[in-house]
Amino acid sequence: MILLVQWLLVVAGAPLLVGFIRKTKARLQGRCGANLWQPYRDLRKLFIKEVVISETTSWIFRFTPYVVIGAMLVAALIVPVLTTAGGALSLGNIVLLMYLFLLATFFLALAGLDAGSSFGGMGSSREMAVAALAEPTVMIAIFAISLRAGTTGLSDMINVLAGDRLLLLNPGHLLAFFSLFIVTLAETGRLPVDNPSTHLELTMIHEAMILEYSGRYLALIEWASAIKLFLFFTLLGNIFIPWGIGRTEQPAAVLLGLVALVVKLAALGVSLAVLETSVAKLRLFRVPALLTGSFMLALLAVISFFFLR
Amino acid sequence: MPFGKLANLLSFLFLLMSFLLIVRNSLSGQVRMFAIQSGILAALAGVVALFGGRLELFGVAAVFAIIKVAVIPSVLNRTVAKIGMQRAVAPYLGTSSTLAVCAVLVIIAFTAMAPITGSDPLPTADGIPLAFAGVLIGLFTTVNRRRALTQILGFLMLENSIFMIALLATYGVPLIVEIGVFLDVLVAVLILEVFVYRIKQNFDSIDVKQLGVLRG
Amino acid sequence: MANRISLWLTVPLAVLVLVGGAAGLSGWSFDVVLPHVLPIGGGVALGLDRLSAFFLVIIAAGVLPCAVFAFAYTRHQKPERDGMTAALAAGMSLFIVSMACLVLARNVLTFLVFWEAMSLASYFLIMTENDRSETRRAGWLYAVMTHAGLACILLGFLTMAQSSGSLSMTAWAQAAAAIDPSKRNVAFVLVAAGFLSKAGAIPFHIWLPRAHPAAPSHISAVMSAVMIKLGVYGLVRIGFEWLGVGPRWWGVLILLIGAVSAVAGVLYAIIDSDLKRLLAYSTVENVGVILLGIGAGLIFHSYDLDSLAALSVAAALLHCLNHTIFKALLFLGAGAIVHATGTRNIEEMGGLLRRMPQTGALFLIGSLAISAMPPLNGFVSEWLTFQALLLSFRVPEQFVNLVFAIAIAALALTAGLAAACFVRAFGITFLAMPRSECVKQAHEVPWTMRLSMGVLAVLAAVLGIAPVVALRPLGYVTAQLLGEQPDLAFSLSGVVAGGSFAAIAPGWVGLTLAVVIFAVWLGFRLTGGSLRKRYYDTWGCGRAVHSPNLEYTAAAFANPFKRVFAFLYRPVTAIEIWPHGESRLFVKTIKYRHESRSIIEEGIYAPLAAAIRRTSARIRAVQSGNVHSYLLYMFLVLVVLLLVAK
């Protein structure tokens, strides 16, 4: 029951998070900005619009949006959002989560190549490069966290970490947080890695792959991107600041978990908006330097665990 | 207990600032990193003074903050402004390679300092390898970067790290030694500032590689 | 006709091997010594235990589909090649028999005899189409490398035989504790070098990317899927059984070689435009992953953490089996493509998914499996390897922990790069529009070819959803090898590693994924919405004609990797511009050359080969052709012998 509520929260709340970030960015830039609920309107518009499919594509193009949303929906089932008891299916640990995201990226890259245009190919190639270079950081950060928590199962990890009162004073913990934050930027296609609102094809990474999509396929993919951002933020919030999330299935605990989640997501959203407003997009071949930097942070986190007992 | 953890945290932030300094390309950005790093070090001195019971360290922290967070960065900023615009000069190693070398230096620092950390009974001893890594990275900065001002900053980072080792290993050195070292560094920076400006005027660049023409 | 003989010979042999393997895994074992077959060195000694049985199953799983595939592949050969096809059948049978007996070998002589038989059989199989110079060079290099490996193995075995006084490997295992450790170290290094060269680990891999494209596709499939694993088999035997418990640097060495092989292998694969060479480099990468598991196992074993060691070895062996399945699938798919289009170059392909739909779908399954995508089998074994590496914090030494951190980073990088590599391989080959004429005429391949690929794809799916099918026998294998079951708890649906460290339920993942996708699709159908689909041109910024020239090429797809990893590729670029005669500003032709170099070949093998040639040239002076000098040599040697023997 709680699982269903949590899952629906993720699925329905993801566009709201995107709307909140956009609104904050707009305010920071001195604009009024679109409505907070605009992403929902966009999705509804896309669902009823006609689908235009390129003649050069194959069934992979039509199959990909389903795989992408499927992977995200399954990922939403395994991340503990409101509570760690009964709040998530124990389908797998955090490594499975990362591989589910990689599955979605794999199919999106194939769909980008399918249309036979230069933009799609370019987006696919860049996206796979960024994803591949972000993988070592993710795994080393997971290593660092699992060293502290003694497990890689998501709910257990949060429970163990919440027991350490001085967690935030741990340098390894903070370093892992920063490295995973940079990885979030890379994986969800936000500045400074990729500009989600650009319309210049040569500067696109994620957008170029999905250039050919329209109608309900595009709606599914946009929704999946929003869910991915929501899940990454939930992970960052719940693993690195593990207080507030419910430990039991009591309604009071779940409600507290909801309030804590809203606070964490809002904080992360505001920091993302501030970051996006203050930095420019990196040249594509400077992105590996950024990802190497985040890898060094994660490696330092691991070293800090091994050498600072 | 929070003292050890707080000291560790500040030590890591200190090391992080060294990393950021060595990869940044803009001079004013590097000076800012140095100022933040000195600020963290002053905070660390304050923490050690508070928990370790050495009250004179408060004075040291205050002097440190004044000299290294306010005076020296403003001197350096003035130099940067006087030098003006210049061509971006690439360091000898690219960003990724630099970061890789820094990671190796950190590992070397940990393995070299392991026996010392093991035998030191103070709760701040865990941060000594980090400070030593700061020493190595400061030296590496002077080797890797080609602009004279960045080399000066590397030297200053080196000095910061040595101060931190003293702080963490023995809760600081006698006050008179500290004051002497501060004055030395301040005078050195003032003299170097004049020199850098003169170099720029004569050679139209502060790329140290150009000094290689002065050969026998 | 000849290919029918081939089928009737090889398939029953493979089935026999499979039956033997299955029997062995369920507990049947035997040990037989035949001293009269070979009167020296203790005769022929064969024995079946669980590890051998597991590898027998791997051999059968690899060979059986390839044998079925070969039937249709060789049917359309020209009649004058019939004799060659018959020779192929004989070679293949010898290959199967020698591989099977190799894993059953129990003393040095038997092992080496069958090792050499396997090498010779594979050499002849590679040289099937020896009318091309490329094939001849590949075969020659393979022969040199495999015999260099044999020399190392022989030296290592003889060292152990001399120290322990016996030519039987089981005797070594019992006497291992009493033998001088330096002798064991020397034996390990020599024998490991030999086995690593057979497995194709860096820096002994240079024969792989030449031999695989040269051989016919089903031979490449058998070599890559099966023969490579015998190097791994040897490594497992010497690391865990025949030489006793080793010091931890054995494991660290193997771990580091595995990490380097994995990353470098996939980096070379990702820039390659020859489909079969790409798959060969991908084999190098997967061997690296397997070696990561084995290296981790060796390290844990040296620290007496045997349940973790068992977990690592189980992960490595599971990856062996999975790799056999999906690599055979991919190579057979490549064979089908070559058969249908006549080219191996992926830059000429495209749009094959419409012309060869089933082959394409099966190749997609193979690509997903090799990129370790859930819910297929590659994911389970890579997940297990990750957990084994993540559990390394139980080792109390910090230096080893750091080495493991590097290994984890290498494995993660490999996983990401492998996914990119196979997006490229599948995407450029099968999607969008054809890039050349011969590909436009491509047609679907005969049903026997598709059947063999289909069986492998089904196996991949089954092992992905219910890995317990393979994990339960592997538990017994490691129990026999290391004395302990792996640190795993598994049920039909799930696997739990390391106590409560990590858990996964691959079957449920697959099921949930399928249910969710179906539900979304059904939701669209039921709510009506707008089911209108309009087919139109791809967006191209308003240009008039959509031609294949605008498609992304494979070289372009690999460009970001070429840039980021330029320190490995050390590319050589050259641009030549020919302007028109009248004006320098009007360009007639531009030629752009970008060539990646192999630093291993240039740095290690080229100087080595040059040194050998120089030395040989000097020694050749002895063979002067002059009869008098030969007589002089004989006279001198006689005098020296008389003096010495006094």
Side-chain angles (χ1 to χ4, degrees):
Chain A
M1 186 54 216
I2 300 284
L3 178 66
L4 196 61
V5 166
Q6 198 175 257
W7 188 73
L8 281 175
L9 177 68
V10 173
V11 173
L16 181 59
L17 178 66
V18 172
F20 174 72
I21 294 176
R22 277 192 210 158
K23 184 89 172 163
T24 319
K25 261 174 78 170
R27 284 289 168 154
L28 285 170
Q29 290 166 357
R31 297 183 279 129
C32 210
N35 199 307
L36 209 56
W37 309 96
Q38 185 59 31
Y40 292 102
R41 297 203 190 106
D42 289 337
L43 283 177
R44 194 186 67 176
K45 171 189 77 173
L46 285 172
F47 272 121
I48 40 184
K49 279 190 91 160
E50 175 188 59
V51 170
V52 179
I53 300 184
S54 160
E55 286 161 333
T56 52
T57 60
S58 60
W59 61 266
I60 299 248
F61 187 82
R62 297 190 297 274
F63 183 55
T64 297
Y66 295 106
V67 172
V68 170
I69 193 80
M72 292 306 154
L73 291 176
V74 173
L77 281 173
I78 64 178
V79 174
V81 177
L82 294 176
T83 166
T84 54
L89 266 189
S90 58
L91 283 178
N93 61 356
I94 194 169
V95 178
L96 172 69
L97 192 65
M98 293 303 149
Y99 270 101
L100 278 174
F101 290 145
L102 196 59
L103 176 69
T105 312
F106 190 97
F107 270 96
L108 269 179
L110 281 183
L113 281 172
D114 206 3
S117 75
S118 322
F119 302 127
M122 195 171 65
S124 302
S125 133
R126 292 173 172 184
E127 176 79 17
M128 291 312 292
V130 168
L133 291 172
E135 283 291 315
T137 310
V138 170
M139 277 305 163
I140 295 286
I142 290 177
F143 189 37
I145 304 171
S146 73
L147 286 174
R148 200 164 304 283
T151 173
T152 55
L154 286 159
S155 305
D156 299 325
M157 206 190 283
I158 298 177
N159 282 335
V160 171
L161 285 174
D164 183 356
R165 210 78 60 79
L166 293 171
L167 190 64
L168 285 183
L169 282 186
N170 245 312
H173 199 71
L174 287 179
L175 286 169
F177 173 75
F178 283 121
S179 69
L180 271 185
F181 190 77
I182 297 178
V183 165
T184 305
L185 296 176
E187 291 258 346
T188 52
R190 314 293 301 190
L191 285 163
V193 175
D194 183 17
N195 189 348
S197 53
T198 182
H199 50 273
L200 301 167
E201 290 94 347
L202 291 177
T203 62
M204 294 176 178
I205 300 181
H206 181 82
E207 300 297 315
M209 280 196 302
I210 61 175
L211 206 59
E212 288 299 314
Y213 278 112
S214 52
R216 61 178 182 276
Y217 292 152
L218 184 59
L220 285 179
I221 292 183
E222 294 280 338
W223 206 340
S225 306
I227 296 180
K228 190 171 179 179
L229 183 64
F230 193 101
L231 286 177
F232 262 109
F233 274 5
T234 313
L235 275 177
L236 280 175
N238 282 341
I239 291 182
F240 290 98
I241 313 167
W243 303 285
I245 189 171
R247 306 285 190 83
T248 61
E249 292 196 14
Q250 306 292 332
V254 172
L255 223 52
L256 180 63
L258 179 63
V259 169
L261 181 75
V262 168
V263 167
K264 290 176 199 172
L265 287 181
L268 283 169
V270 167
S271 12
L272 181 65
V274 167
L275 181 69
E276 289 205 319
T277 319
S278 45
V279 302
K281 189 175 102 73
L282 280 178
R283 261 185 64 206
L284 178 68
F285 293 115
R286 312 264 309 155
V287 173
L290 177 69
L291 291 172
T292 315
S294 75
F295 177 73
M296 291 304 148
L297 290 179
L299 197 62
L300 272 184
V302 168
I303 290 176
S304 94
F305 178 85
F306 282 130
F307 286 96
L308 304 177
R309 298 279 175 176
Chain B
M1 27 88 166
F3 177 30
K5 287 204 187 277
L6 200 56
N8 282 346
L9 182 65
L10 288 171
S11 317
F12 259 95
L13 286 178
F14 177 88
L15 193 62
L16 211 62
M17 288 300 129
S18 331
F19 277 12
L20 283 177
L21 197 150
I22 203 172
V23 299
R24 289 209 64 159
N25 280 321
S26 82
L27 282 177
S28 50
Q30 287 171 349
V31 173
R32 206 174 318 139
M33 291 297 121
F34 172 70
I36 297 176
Q37 189 187 53
S38 310
I40 293 175
L41 199 47
L44 182 62
V47 165
V48 172
L50 189 63
F51 285 95
R54 300 284 182 92
L55 292 177
E56 68 263 22
L57 279 181
F58 276 123
V60 168
V63 171
F64 197 84
I66 294 173
I67 296 189
K68 291 226 168 156
V69 180
V71 174
I72 292 187
S74 71
V75 167
L76 290 173
N77 275 324
R78 211 175 52 200
T79 319
V80 171
K82 271 201 285 184
I83 291 177
M85 289 283 293
Q86 55 201 281
R87 270 188 18 223
V89 172
Y92 285 108
L93 282 182
T95 315
S96 306
S97 322
T98 312
L99 285 172
V101 171
C102 288
V104 171
L105 288 175
V106 170
I107 295 178
I108 291 176
F110 269 102
T111 35
M113 285 287 139
I116 298 180
T117 316
S119 59
D120 193 327
L122 292 175
T124 51
D126 278 337
I128 295 177
L130 294 167
F132 189 62
V135 168
L136 293 175
I137 291 178
L139 276 173
F140 181 60
T141 314
T142 55
V143 168
N144 192 33
R145 307 296 289 229
R146 281 162 54 168
R147 285 188 289 204
L149 209 60
T150 318
Q151 289 184 314
I152 295 175
L153 281 169
F155 160 73
L156 287 171
M157 271 209 304
L158 176 71
E159 206 275 324
N160 265 359
S161 311
I162 295 177
F163 172 72
M164 194 163 117
I165 294 182
L167 191 64
L168 294 175
T170 55
Y171 287 176
V173 294
L175 191 62
I176 197 121
V177 175
E178 288 293 356
I179 303 288
V181 169
F182 285 152
L183 283 177
D184 271 341
V185 169
L186 185 59
V187 169
V189 170
L190 288 171
I191 296 178
L192 285 170
E193 177 221 352
V194 174
F195 263 120
V196 167
Y197 181 56
R198 287 283 169 208
I199 292 174
K200 166 78 173 166
Q201 271 201 317
N202 277 314
F203 293 93
D204 212 22
S205 136
I206 56 170
D207 181 357
V208 177
K209 201 152 168 256
Q210 306 251 3
L211 293 176
V213 302
L214 298 170
R215 278 192 299 195
Chain C
M1 181 59 211
N3 58 350
R4 215 166 293 195
I5 302 175
S6 159
L7 191 70
W8 289 123
L9 253 182
T10 47
V11 168
L13 270 177
V15 170
L16 189 65
V17 168
L18 181 64
V19 166
L25 280 178
S26 40
W28 184 63
S29 70
F30 71 85
D31 251 303
V32 65
V33 180
L34 304 165
H36 45 273
V37 176
L38 274 171
I40 51 166
V44 168
L46 296 172
L48 179 69
D49 66 353
R50 291 198 191 252
L51 184 65
S52 307
F54 186 75
F55 275 91
L56 283 180
V57 171
I58 288 183
I59 294 174
V63 167
L64 207 46
C66 298
V68 174
F69 187 88
F71 177 67
Y73 191 76
T74 50
R75 181 162 53 190
H76 299 293
Q77 308 274 24
K78 309 189 267 285
E80 55 261 24
R81 283 186 176 236
D82 241 8
M84 189 180 60
T85 317
L88 208 87
M92 189 75 152
S93 317
L94 177 64
F95 197 36
I96 301 173
V97 169
S98 56
M99 283 196 290
C101 292
L102 183 69
V103 300
L104 297 175
R106 287 286 169 269
N107 75 2
V108 171
L109 191 67
T110 324
F111 194 90
L112 291 177
V113 161
F114 286 114
W115 184 267
E116 185 62 16
M118 178 182 76
S119 308
L120 282 176
S122 52
Y123 171 76
F124 283 117
L125 288 173
I126 292 174
M127 296 285 272
T128 317
E129 291 168 12
N130 58 3
D131 39 340
R132 294 200 310 240
S133 71
E134 174 203 357
T135 317
R136 285 197 294 272
R137 279 216 309 270
W140 187 82
L141 183 64
Y142 172 67
V144 167
M145 291 294 292
T146 195
H147 284 96
L150 176 68
C152 292
I153 296 176
L154 183 62
L155 278 175
F157 278 176
L158 288 179
T159 315
M160 276 308 288
Q162 189 212 30
S163 320
S164 68
S166 156
L167 278 174
S168 160
M169 285 110 162
T170 30
W172 296 351
Q174 280 147 3
I179 299 176
D180 183 16
S182 59
K183 287 241 171 71
R184 281 197 299 143
N185 290 341
V186 165
F188 179 80
V189 170
L190 283 171
V191 178
F195 285 129
L196 283 175
S197 98
K198 177 61 72 180
I202 289 183
F204 306 115
H205 68 287
I206 55 168
W207 60 271
L208 252 180
R210 287 192 170 79
H212 284 233
S217 302
H218 54 285
I219 304 296
S220 310
V222 176
M223 274 177 28
S224 206
V226 183
M227 196 177 70
I228 304 286
K229 306 305 182 312
L230 295 176
V232 174
Y233 167 77
L235 208 58
V236 171
R237 283 282 189 202
I238 56 157
F240 293 102
E241 194 180 321
W242 293 339
L243 293 180
V245 182
R248 67 160 193 265
W249 65 262
W250 288 7
V252 171
L253 182 68
I254 301 285
L255 194 71
L256 289 175
I257 289 180
V260 170
S261 302
V263 176
V266 73
L267 281 177
Y268 282 121
I270 210 168
I271 58 167
D272 214 316
S273 290
D274 180 331
L275 187 57
K276 286 168 71 172
R277 202 159 53 217
L278 187 155
L279 292 175
Y281 274 121
S282 164
T283 301
V284 173
E285 174 231 327
N286 279 288
V287 165
V289 174
I290 296 172
L291 288 177
L292 280 175
I294 293 184
L298 282 171
I299 297 179
F300 291 140
H301 193 50
S302 71
Y303 279 100
D304 219 12
L305 294 162
D306 273 338
S307 59
L308 271 185
L311 176 63
S312 316
V313 171
L317 290 179
L318 184 62
H319 200 73
C320 276
L321 179 63
N322 289 339
H323 180 244
T324 302
I325 292 173
F326 52 63
K327 194 40 77 64
L329 174 58
L330 286 170
F331 262 112
L332 293 183
I337 294 173
V338 170
H339 179 92
T341 62
T343 175
R344 281 187 339 234
N345 186 0
I346 58 178
E347 299 274 22
E348 293 172 11
M349 300 185 196
L352 282 175
L353 195 57
R354 285 175 181 230
R355 293 160 175 79
M356 306 166 66
Q358 281 114 22
T359 310
L362 292 167
F363 197 92
L364 179 64
I365 294 181
S367 307
L368 286 172
I370 202 171
S371 314
M373 293 288 126
L376 293 173
N377 59 352
F379 171 65
V380 179
S381 52
E382 237 176 74
W383 184 89
L384 267 180
T385 315
F386 262 124
Q387 305 316 321
L389 293 176
L390 285 174
L391 280 165
S392 64
F393 64 86
R394 293 196 192 158
V395 171
E397 196 169 326
Q398 286 156 346
F399 166 68
V400 173
N401 290 330
L402 273 176
V403 169
F404 269 105
I406 297 175
I408 293 175
L411 184 59
L413 184 61
T414 309
L417 288 174
C421 176
F422 280 92
V423 163
R424 173 176 181 262
F426 180 77
I428 304 277
T429 314
F430 283 98
L431 300 179
M433 294 174 292
R435 294 177 177 82
S436 70
E437 271 311 310
C438 52
V439 169
K440 277 195 198 145
Q441 325 292 346
H443 54 275
E444 188 57 273
V445 291
W447 69 272
T448 42
M449 288 187 179
R450 280 178 278 158
L451 175 70
S452 43
M453 291 196 279
V455 164
L456 287 169
V458 167
L459 271 178
V462 164
L463 278 177
I465 299 177
V468 67
V469 166
L471 282 175
R472 197 179 296 282
L474 273 175
Y476 295 123
V477 169
T478 52
Q480 192 173 54
L481 199 60
L482 289 162
E484 276 205 44
Q485 290 256 3
D487 202 351
L488 280 178
F490 38 80
S491 60
L492 186 62
S493 63
V495 176
V496 177
S500 62
F501 186 75
I504 192 158
W508 287 115
V509 171
L511 188 66
T512 321
L513 204 56
V515 164
V516 165
I517 292 178
F518 181 69
V520 173
W521 177 82
L522 198 66
F524 276 139
R525 276 261 178 242
L526 291 178
T527 57
S530 166
L531 290 180
R532 290 198 306 269
K533 279 187 204 156
R534 188 156 59 97
Y535 287 87
Y536 195 64
D537 234 356
T538 309
W539 165 248
C541 282
R543 43 114 195 89
V545 166
H546 191 59
S547 85
N549 287 336
L550 287 170
E551 289 182 86
Y552 224 54
T553 62
F557 195 96
N559 194 35
F561 303 99
K562 281 187 213 173
R563 291 250 206 150
V564 173
F565 294 103
F567 64 86
L568 178 70
Y569 299 127
R570 310 274 167 139
V572 172
T573 49
I575 300 183
E576 293 167 60
I577 302 179
W578 288 274
H580 270 286
E582 286 90 50
S583 163
R584 209 172 36 88
L585 299 169
F586 286 96
V587 168
K588 201 160 68 171
T589 323
I590 299 181
K591 199 156 144 184
Y592 174 69
R593 219 173 102 96
H594 179 103
E595 194 179 328
S596 303
R597 306 181 291 168
S598 167
I599 54 176
I600 298 170
E601 288 188 24
E602 287 185 13
I604 305 179
Y605 287 97
L608 192 64
I612 292 178
R613 259 197 290 269
R614 271 198 311 269
T615 331
S616 315
R618 290 220 196 100
I619 298 180
R620 218 169 70 175
V622 172
Q623 197 177 15
S624 59
N626 188 346
V627 180
H628 282 94
S629 49
Y630 295 159
L631 287 171
L632 183 64
Y633 296 153
M634 280 196 285
F635 179 64
L636 280 173
V637 169
L638 190 60
V639 169
V640 166
L641 275 177
L642 284 172
L643 287 174
V644 166
K646 235 162 55 98

